[in-house]
Amino acid sequence: MLPCTQKIKDLDWKPKGIILSGSPYSVYDKGAPRVDPDVFEAGVPVLGICYGLQEIAWNHGGKVDPHDRREYGKATIDVVKTGNAHMDALFAGEEARVDVWMSHGDQLSVCPPDFEVVAKTSTAPFAALAHKTKPIYGIQFHAEVTHSPRGKELFENFVERICDCRRDWNMETFIDKEIARIRELVGPKGRVIGAISGGVDSSVAAKLMHEAIGDRFHAVMVDNGVLRAREAAQVYEMLSQHLGVNVTIVDASELFLGRLEGVDDPEKKRKIIGNTFINVFEEEAAKLEAEAEREEEEAKKAGRQHETKGKYEYLLQGTLYPDVIESISFKGPSATIKTHHNVGGLLDDMKLKLIEPLRELFKDEVRQLGKVMGIPAHLVGRHPFPGPGLAIRILGPVTRSQVEILQQADTIYIEEIRKAGIYDEISQAFAVLLPVRAVGVQGDKRTYDQVIALRAAQTTDFMTATWYPFSYDFLSKVSNRITNEVQGVNRVVYDVSSKPPSTIEWL
């Protein structure tokens, strides 16, 4: 993965193909990222996606303009067969009409010379282009996301058939290579402390690290005061009993809640939580090292055999590729959508070095990895829970009383989802406490209480998502339980926004 400004002549290897990704820029903006022109003279296939298509057109004499009708979400393209095998290669085997996912405000207004249209929509007449003689292709839609259902087939056409690449990567080889990489990095005596939230990402990362270095890995679950109800106890049982991992629970709730007091800006919350996590992990690593030194000293005095272990130099995190994409902005490929506490919320002077074995995987790949490693299905299928916890699901200042309200509402919501037997149909479900109050009538009295928003998303890669279509009876039951059982809430709403234009989490 390289920025589009990478000079082809500076590479010491030749690519089999080049894919130009999307970008928040417009190609006509001053300072917009520009691809190295040598990309188009490298003699290898090129595929441009969204901004990538527009950059191809811009470089070849086409024209791009803002459009008065933006396209976000589902669209249907009409595939145009040219009768030329080379130009038709990208959509080989496709139907005449294909559902795709759009996310753009600009589009081509003039097709560049030497290119032909190979797909269009009612509002985008240049939805896909192919060069007449060179293997250069561009698509306005996002084939890389889950909600372009035929996107995988398009990439197969480009990567395997057009670029002639071999498809020999699998999860088993990933495990072997990653374990070997970890062992080489950590060394024969080095030790690793692990940041564990109980979600599938950190749990799979912990299992992988345990397989690599055994008891030289120690997981730490920090109770930051903004966990779900009974979360710390459940995580301890899951990791220690089901996965065989050494784990310590650290209650730092007062520290976190104290630092979050009066803070309502979501980016500040993430930074505070990320920084405080590192403070706690570094302190815990020092305690574990001191304890190990005492045990070694006692063993020496008693004349017992003992193994000298190294220091805790590394911190394990379950960072995934969507976290990286949404947190770090290289000039061109992406914009910072939000700072993930485990990517953009870390201390600049942190003492521990990071190990992120899942950093190049998506959520569905992590679940697959967990299954291959023998992690029980009910753990692998658990809905994600963000590292900053309920702090980013409380829209406003975080207090212990606000956390308790949200914990109660969230517990009821998930309980009813499980009772309905639809938990595994939903990728992520949670409640959000809104920073507004609404008038209500409870017990024949006027109330002025808070509002809970419910969110349920369906996705596999978490880069795009649609909302789950609950029945009216289900929503009625959940709303009734929350307003009856949670003191301080008199209104419940359901979020029916897709990603994009929304994100899955509210903050």
Side-chain angles (χ1 to χ4, degrees):
M1 305 295 289
L2 299 168
C4 71
T5 50
Q6 170 68 47
K7 298 296 184 183
I8 297 297
K9 66 180 180 181
D10 293 339
L11 295 176
D12 56 6
W13 50 275
K14 183 177 180 179
K16 296 277 285 185
I18 297 171
I19 297 177
L20 305 176
S21 75
S23 168
Y25 288 90
S26 296
V27 292
Y28 47 78
D29 284 346
K30 183 179 180 180
R34 299 263 78 95
V35 69
D36 178 9
D38 286 347
V39 161
F40 306 113
E41 304 300 329
V44 299
V46 179
L47 172 63
I49 301 170
C50 197
Y51 181 94
L53 161 71
Q54 295 165 13
E55 179 70 358
I56 288 172
W58 191 263
N59 273 270
H60 290 83
K63 188 177 180 183
V64 179
D65 292 303
H67 198 255
D68 57 2
R69 181 178 173 183
R70 300 179 300 171
E71 284 189 306
Y72 296 120
K74 184 179 177 180
T76 300
I77 61 169
D78 295 311
V79 176
V80 179
K81 296 295 184 181
T82 67
N84 181 307
H86 152 70
M87 288 192 289
D88 294 340
L90 197 62
F91 292 98
E94 292 294 350
E95 301 292 332
R97 308 198 79 206
V98 180
D99 289 337
V100 298
W101 195 264
M102 294 282 195
S103 182
H104 67 96
D106 295 337
Q107 66 180 42
L108 269 67
S109 56
V110 176
C111 185
D114 299 322
F115 279 80
E116 290 282 352
V117 174
V118 292
K120 58 184 179 180
T121 73
S122 58
T123 59
F126 309 110
L129 301 180
H131 195 280
K132 294 177 181 177
T133 57
K134 297 179 180 180
I136 301 176
Y137 306 86
I139 56 175
Q140 183 61 73
F141 57 92
H142 288 269
E144 76 276 15
V145 300
T146 305
H147 292 88
S148 284
R150 300 290 296 174
K152 185 178 292 185
E153 286 74 13
L154 183 145
F155 280 111
E156 286 175 348
N157 284 338
F158 181 72
V159 174
E160 294 184 44
R161 296 174 178 85
I162 297 173
C163 296
D164 196 27
C165 292
R166 292 194 309 275
R167 187 172 179 168
D168 54 8
W169 186 93
N170 58 58
M171 199 56 75
E172 286 78 5
T173 58
F174 171 83
I175 293 171
D176 294 340
K177 289 179 180 178
E178 196 58 34
I179 286 177
R181 187 186 74 85
I182 289 170
R183 288 173 177 169
E184 180 180 0
L185 184 66
V186 175
K189 293 184 178 180
R191 290 189 284 179
V192 177
I193 192 170
I196 305 302
S197 68
V200 62
D201 307 333
S202 62
S203 298
V204 171
K207 177 67 173 176
L208 187 61
M209 185 61 65
H210 182 69
E211 292 286 327
I213 63 172
D215 64 2
R216 288 188 289 127
F217 169 62
H218 198 109
V220 175
M221 168 72 177
V222 177
D223 184 349
N224 55 13
V226 287
L227 300 177
R228 289 173 291 201
R230 302 181 298 279
E231 182 85 1
Q234 291 172 1
V235 169
Y236 181 82
E237 178 184 355
M238 176 182 69
L239 290 175
S240 60
Q241 296 184 17
H242 294 287
L243 303 185
V245 174
N246 294 329
V247 59
T248 296
I249 305 295
V250 178
D251 185 355
S253 56
E254 292 298 329
L255 175 63
F256 277 87
L257 290 173
R259 291 185 178 182
L260 288 168
E261 185 176 357
V263 178
D264 60 4
D265 180 81
E267 283 299 288
K268 289 182 179 178
K269 286 182 183 179
R270 290 177 180 272
K271 291 284 188 181
I272 289 170
I273 290 169
N275 292 347
T276 307
F277 265 125
I278 297 303
N279 294 150
V280 173
F281 288 132
E282 289 181 339
E283 183 179 333
E284 192 60 28
K287 289 180 182 177
L288 290 170
E289 282 185 4
E291 182 181 333
E293 288 173 1
R294 285 195 300 271
E295 291 175 354
E296 289 179 11
E297 191 62 33
E298 291 173 3
K300 283 181 184 178
K301 289 179 180 178
R304 299 193 305 269
Q305 287 187 342
H306 66 280
E307 179 186 356
T308 302
K309 297 178 181 178
K311 292 183 176 295
Y312 283 97
E313 295 184 68
Y314 293 93
L315 171 66
L316 171 74
Q317 292 198 138
T319 306
L320 301 191
Y321 197 57
D323 300 337
V324 177
I325 293 171
E326 293 186 345
S327 294
I328 300 175
S329 178
F330 299 100
K331 186 173 182 180
S334 67
T336 300
I337 297 171
K338 56 188 176 183
T339 298
H340 289 261
H341 81 285
N342 55 345
V343 181
L346 302 178
L347 290 170
D348 293 332
D349 60 348
M350 62 181 284
K351 301 179 182 69
L352 295 168
K353 304 170 189 174
L354 285 182
I355 295 183
E356 299 170 312
L358 312 180
R359 189 179 175 90
E360 294 183 354
L361 300 183
F362 286 85
K363 182 73 70 175
D364 56 322
E365 293 174 315
V366 173
R367 294 193 195 283
Q368 182 187 350
L369 174 60
K371 291 176 183 176
V372 171
M373 296 186 70
I375 297 177
H378 72 280
L379 301 182
V380 174
R382 199 168 187 228
H383 289 183
F385 185 65
L390 300 180
I392 60 167
R393 294 176 179 173
I394 297 173
L395 276 62
V398 178
T399 64
R400 192 171 291 278
S401 61
Q402 291 290 80
V403 171
E404 289 174 355
I405 288 174
L406 186 53
Q407 283 177 331
Q408 294 174 49
D410 192 74
T411 297
I412 291 169
Y413 184 33
I414 301 302
E415 277 181 3
E416 291 300 329
I417 287 175
R418 289 191 181 278
K419 284 180 185 178
I422 54 177
Y423 185 85
D424 291 337
E425 296 177 17
I426 300 169
S427 304
Q428 188 171 2
F430 55 90
V432 180
L433 185 58
L434 303 185
V436 295
R437 293 183 181 274
V439 173
V441 179
Q442 292 171 296
D444 294 331
K445 291 182 179 179
R446 178 188 185 275
T447 60
Y448 189 56
D449 283 331
Q450 293 186 265
V451 180
I452 287 287
L454 305 178
R455 180 76 157 143
Q458 287 183 303
T459 181
T460 56
D461 58 16
F462 285 79
M463 294 301 293
T464 60
T466 54
W467 52 277
Y468 185 81
F470 287 120
S471 69
Y472 291 124
D473 287 344
F474 175 86
L475 291 173
S476 176
K477 182 185 295 185
V478 173
S479 176
N480 190 57
R481 279 198 62 190
I482 290 175
T483 52
N484 277 318
E485 299 175 33
V486 182
Q487 190 71 28
V489 175
N490 68 3
R491 194 176 296 265
V492 176
V493 298
Y494 183 51
D495 181 354
V496 292
S497 307
S498 64
K499 176 185 179 178
S502 303
T503 55
I504 294 178
E505 295 284 353
W506 278 50
L507 292 184

